[in-house]
Amino acid sequence: MKVAVLPGDGIGPEIIAQALKVLRKLGLSLELQEAPVGGAGYESSSDPLPPATLALAKAADAILFGAVGDARYDKLPRAKRPEQAILGLRKELGLFANLRPAQVHPELVSASALKAEVVAGLDILIVRELTGDIYFGEPKGIRETDGEREGFDTMRYREGEIRRIARVAFDAARKRSKRVCSVDKANVLETSQLWREVVTAEAAKYPDVELSHMYVDNCAMQLVRNPKQFDVIVTGNLFGDILSDEASMLTGSIGMLPSASLDARGKGLYEPIHGSAPDIAGRGVANPLATILSAAMMLRYSLGEAQAAGRIEAAVAKVLKAGVRTADIPTAGARKVGTQEMGDAVLAAL
Ligand code: IPM
Ligand code: MG
C-alpha cells in the first residue's frame, strides 16, 4: 500500500515525523513516500502544489498530510499561497467528503473551555462537503464597479453534490446514534433552500435515521449551549469550516482532532484539523496526537487495517490516561512533554 506523506509547513514536519514513527512500528507493508507541499512546495518549485507532489498523491492509496501556511507567503498572489495546495488536492482528487469527529477523551474533560457536564461524553461527527460551495464557485474575483473595487464569490451547489454528501452523512449515522442534523441558511440563501430539499428527499431512503434541520447561526450557538444534542452534523464547505473549528474547542484542544477527506471510492487524505501553527514551529512543543490519530483514520478508512487503527487509538487513550500532556492540553497533575516525547509515549503504549 502506497502512502503519500506531505508534511508541509510550520509544525507539519514535526508532527508528521511522530505519526511516521507510529506507522513504522506497526510492521505493516506500507510504502511511505514524502513530497513537499504548501510553502515547502513553493520553496522547492515555486508552486504550492508541485506537479510531482500531485502525481504522487494521485498514485497513492492514501495521503497523510501535515499542515500548510505561513505568514511569509501572505503577500504572494493567491495561486501561489500555501492554502492552494490543500484546496487543489481536495479538488483534483475529488475528496468531497470531509469527516471531522469531535470526541472528548474522558481525561481531557477539564481542558475544555466549557463546563465538564456540558462536554463529558461528547461524540459528534461533522460531515463537511469539501469540493463545492463558495470555496470553488465561479465567478469569483475583484472587479472595478462604478469607480471602486468590488470583491465577489459565488455560493453554488448542484443537486448531485448535495445528494452524495447527504448519503455519506446518513451512512455514517447508521453506524452511530442514527441522527443527522443538516445545517444550512435556508431562511436567506437559495443554495441552502435547495440543500434542504435534496437532503430531505434523500432521507426518505434512510427511514431508520432521524433527520433534523438547523440554521447555521443557531447551530453555532447550540454547539456551545448543548453540544451533546448532536450526533452527525452535515453541512456545506464554508459552514463546515467554521463549525468544525468551533466543535474542536469543545474537546479541549484543536491539537487532538484528526480528519479524513474521502473520494467516492474511499481513497482519502488524512490531516489534523489544526493548521501549521508558525508561532510554535520548530520549538518541539506541538501536539502530535491529531496527526497520529489521522494516521489511524487512514488505516481504517483507506487501507483496510481497522485492527491496526484500533491499536493506535488505544495507545493514545492509554497515554492520556497516564497523564502525559503536551502544552495545549494541560490538566492538573499531568506530566508535560514535548512533541517527540509524546510520540515516544505512544510508541511505548503500542
Ligand atoms: C481547513 C482549513 C482550510 C479550509 C484552509 C487551510 C484552506 O481551514 O481545512 O479547515 O478553509 O478548508
Ligand atoms: Mg478550517
Side-chain angles (χ1 to χ4, degrees), residues 264-276:
R265 293 192 311 260
K267 171 170 172 166
L269 179 149
Y270 299 81
E271 59 175 326
I273 93 154
H274 61 71
S276 54

Side-chain angles (χ1 to χ4, degrees), residues 209-229:
V209 177
E210 180 193 312
L211 172 67
S212 60
H213 301 275
M214 199 178 271
Y215 297 137
V216 62
D217 50 347
N218 185 23
C219 181
M221 186 264 274
Q222 295 295 340
L223 272 173
V224 286
R225 194 186 73 90
N226 175 20
K228 282 189 263 183
Q229 70 185 282

Side-chain angles (χ1 to χ4, degrees), residues 100 128 135 241-242 244-245 273:
R100 296 192 164 184
R128 169 190 176 196
Y135 268 56
D241 178 46
I242 300 165
S244 60
D245 262 34
I273 93 154

Side-chain angles (χ1 to χ4, degrees), residues 170 173-175 177-179 203-211:
F170 289 127
R174 277 193 167 154
K175 298 183 196 138
S177 302
K178 299 193 170 56
R179 286 181 295 120
K205 296 177 192 147
Y206 296 82
D208 52 324
V209 177
E210 180 193 312
L211 172 67

Side-chain angles (χ1 to χ4, degrees), residues 133-134 136-143 151-156:
D133 204 353
I134 196 164
F136 294 98
E138 295 286 346
K140 62 163 70 205
I142 299 175
R143 65 189 164 202
F152 59 102
D153 295 271
T154 307
M155 178 177 275
R156 57 196 309 162

Side-chain angles (χ1 to χ4, degrees), residues 14-226:
E14 300 164 52
I15 53 179
I16 284 284
Q18 304 312 309
L20 292 181
K21 227 156 68 173
V22 170
L23 282 174
R24 291 202 176 99
K25 173 89 175 183
L26 292 167
L28 305 168
S29 61
L30 298 180
E31 199 181 300
L32 305 163
Q33 278 187 295
E34 275 189 46
V37 76
Y42 180 76
E43 297 297 342
S44 76
S45 45
S46 309
D47 188 345
L49 183 53
T53 299
L54 179 59
L56 184 75
K58 281 189 169 162
D61 299 300
I63 299 138
L64 187 62
F65 189 93
V68 291
D70 190 303
R72 264 184 293 170
Y73 307 107
D74 281 356
K75 297 240 152 54
L76 292 174
R78 181 168 305 282
K80 298 282 182 196
R81 286 191 216 162
E83 291 75 14
Q84 292 307 306
I86 185 65
L87 295 173
L89 281 166
R90 289 170 182 170
K91 197 69 181 173
E92 291 283 337
L93 301 178
L95 306 171
F96 71 93
N98 186 209
L99 311 183
R100 296 192 164 184
Q103 287 162 348
V104 174
H105 291 267
E107 295 80 15
L108 296 185
V109 167
S110 66
S112 172
L114 272 73
K115 292 194 196 97
E117 65 265 29
V118 176
V119 295
L122 179 81
D123 181 5
I124 302 178
L125 176 66
I126 297 188
V127 177
R128 169 190 176 196
E129 200 288 330
L130 207 54
T131 51
D133 204 353
I134 196 164
Y135 268 56
F136 294 98
E138 295 286 346
K140 62 163 70 205
I142 299 175
R143 65 189 164 202
E144 198 70 21
T145 304
D146 300 332
E148 62 178 345
R149 288 179 305 153
E150 177 186 36
F152 59 102
D153 295 271
T154 307
M155 178 177 275
R156 57 196 309 162
Y157 264 122
R158 291 186 185 207
E159 280 178 283
E161 292 176 294
I162 302 169
R163 206 174 290 124
R164 66 181 182 176
I165 196 69
R167 281 186 199 140
V168 170
F170 289 127
D171 286 334
R174 277 193 167 154
K175 298 183 196 138
R176 302 169 43 99
S177 302
K178 299 193 170 56
R179 286 181 295 120
V180 170
C181 179
S182 171
V183 173
D184 61 34
K185 188 70 185 172
N187 49 346
V188 178
L189 304 172
E190 295 297 321
T191 319
S192 284
Q193 176 70 43
L194 181 69
W195 176 281
R196 197 174 273 223
E197 280 172 29
V198 173
V199 172
T200 303
E202 205 54 31
K205 296 177 192 147
Y206 296 82
D208 52 324
V209 177
E210 180 193 312
L211 172 67
S212 60
H213 301 275
M214 199 178 271
Y215 297 137
V216 62
D217 50 347
N218 185 23
C219 181
M221 186 264 274
Q222 295 295 340
L223 272 173
V224 286
R225 194 186 73 90
N226 175 20

